[in-house]
Amino acid sequence: MTAQELSPVDPASRLLDYRFDIVGRSKLWFSLSLAVLLVGLVSMAFSLASLGTPLRLGLDFSGGTLLDLSFERPVTTEELRRALQEHNLGSSIIQLDTQTGQEALIRMPPLSETERLAVEATLRQEVAPFQRNLVETVGPTVGRLLLRSGIVAVLISFGLIVLYLALRFQWDYAVFAIVALLHDVVLTIGLFALLGLTVGMEADSLFVVALLTIIGFSVNDTVVIYDRIRENLRLVSRKVSLAEVVNLSLNQTFARSLNTTLTTMLPLVAIAIFGGATLKGFAIALLIGFTLGVYSSIFIASPLLVWWRQQRYGKSSEDARAGRDPDSLPSEG
């Protein structure tokens, strides 16, 4: 739609011929988010009760020794656990390839090299000969340091984005963009907690990288939509309500947001399927976060802005748009 088509001299009813009434179904979008949030919070509570942390932490953060073994014959989890029990390691986490029964990931508390070699000798003698593909040991102090550094990185990135939004937009635009960001991060963590409980997926240092990427991607989409809303507010008659202007802007940017996200997600699907165990969690976290990011940009941030202005300034178009006078907006660019 061109600026000429949005000229204030044209009848608003002809100009605002959008396809989807997104703002009008705000309660549905908010309810869906609350339902997913509830699932995530419950998952984190169960994870905290059973594992001691809201997420199933990987070796990077929790510390420990990881063995990646390929056995010459199919083995069972029970066989491995019995052998480990001889070294008081029966509670170790064992992930066995259920298709072949020959590939096993074993995560144990931190072991010295002598202790690790003794465990390997027992497994070789009592279970089956194997080839060691990977051995990795991270001490608990290093793990806590990495976890603290990851949390600091996320908080700093959040703070910088908050500063940028506060300078670029009116304060209520910035607040709801930040709410959308929190929505994406918290729901991603909650769903990852659910995956940790159900399929044993762990949060490692790549998970922190995924969160930082999600934050950047989500705010980018929200800024594009907010910019379109501000442009349309300058072009459409003041008699048109803020809800209608936001609906028009969301419909204009809907295809762009969806197509951008889908093309970004296609390589991630390939990584999740063929990328191996190391990259699988990273790709899945990004897939969850990008999906939530485009959802919150379209269905959460802007409808929340309309709801807030209607609550504060009243439901009439002039009053609801009182805070959007272009003359009072900071200049773009």
Side-chain angles (χ1 to χ4, degrees), residues 82-84 86-87 117-127:
R82 274 198 302 272
L84 292 170
E86 294 188 14
H87 299 271
L117 291 174
V119 170
E120 290 182 3
T122 302
L123 289 171
R124 196 172 280 113
Q125 181 179 357
E126 299 194 7
V127 180

Side-chain angles (χ1 to χ4, degrees), residues 230-279:
R230 296 201 310 181
E231 291 169 6
N232 286 339
L233 282 172
R234 292 187 177 95
L235 296 171
V236 177
S237 166
R238 289 174 181 271
K239 294 180 180 179
V240 177
S241 72
L242 177 64
E244 290 174 304
V245 176
V246 170
N247 256 332
L248 173 66
S249 305
L250 290 172
N251 276 267
Q252 289 174 338
T253 55
F254 186 86
R256 174 227 177 253
S257 299
L258 202 60
N259 290 334
T260 304
T261 304
L262 285 176
T263 53
T264 307
M265 291 172 71
L266 290 176
L268 294 174
V269 173
I271 294 174
I273 296 173
F274 304 108
T278 305
L279 293 177

Side-chain angles (χ1 to χ4, degrees), residues 102-167:
Q102 292 180 271
E103 305 291 331
L105 281 174
I106 305 174
R107 200 178 79 179
M108 301 166 284
L111 302 177
S112 67
E113 185 173 358
T114 304
E115 292 171 327
R116 177 178 58 79
L117 291 174
V119 170
E120 290 182 3
T122 302
L123 289 171
R124 196 172 280 113
Q125 181 179 357
E126 299 194 7
V127 180
F130 61 81
Q131 176 183 344
R132 179 175 7 95
N133 303 319
L134 172 72
V135 58
E136 188 176 1
T137 298
V138 177
T141 303
V142 176
R144 285 194 294 271
L145 182 62
L146 287 173
L147 179 59
R148 189 162 53 245
S149 299
I151 293 173
V152 169
V154 171
L155 292 177
I156 289 176
S157 67
F158 230 101
L160 291 174
I161 287 174
V162 168
L163 180 63
Y164 167 77
L165 292 172
L167 292 174

Side-chain angles (χ1 to χ4, degrees), residues 111-225:
L111 302 177
S112 67
E113 185 173 358
T114 304
E115 292 171 327
R116 177 178 58 79
L117 291 174
V119 170
E120 290 182 3
T122 302
L123 289 171
R124 196 172 280 113
Q125 181 179 357
E126 299 194 7
V127 180
F130 61 81
Q131 176 183 344
R132 179 175 7 95
N133 303 319
L134 172 72
V135 58
E136 188 176 1
T137 298
V138 177
T141 303
V142 176
R144 285 194 294 271
L145 182 62
L146 287 173
L147 179 59
R148 189 162 53 245
S149 299
I151 293 173
V152 169
V154 171
L155 292 177
I156 289 176
S157 67
F158 230 101
L160 291 174
I161 287 174
V162 168
L163 180 63
Y164 167 77
L165 292 172
L167 292 174
R168 181 158 173 75
F169 294 101
Q170 288 176 280
W171 69 269
D172 49 359
Y173 280 69
V175 165
F176 293 115
I178 294 161
V179 169
L181 271 183
L182 285 171
H183 166 279
D184 302 340
V185 172
V186 173
L187 264 60
T188 300
I189 293 174
L191 292 177
F192 223 74
L194 178 63
L195 292 175
L197 291 173
T198 53
V199 298
M201 190 159 289
E202 298 176 340
D204 54 16
S205 54
L206 284 177
F207 180 70
V208 176
V209 177
L211 287 183
L212 294 171
T213 309
I214 291 165
I215 290 171
F217 180 87
S218 174
V219 76
N220 173 65
D221 216 25
T222 304
V223 166
V224 169
I225 293 173

Side-chain angles (χ1 to χ4, degrees), residues 24 51 62 66 83 105 115 140 155 164 170 192 205 235 240 266 280 282-283 288 308 315 319 321 327 329 331:
L51 305 174
S62 62
L66 177 71
L105 281 174
E115 292 171 327
L155 292 177
Y164 167 77
Q170 288 176 280
F192 223 74
S205 54
L235 296 171
V240 177
L266 290 176
K280 187 174 184 178
F282 174 68
I288 294 172
W308 162 252
K315 294 184 181 298
D319 289 341
R321 295 171 61 171
D327 295 333
L329 292 173
S331 60

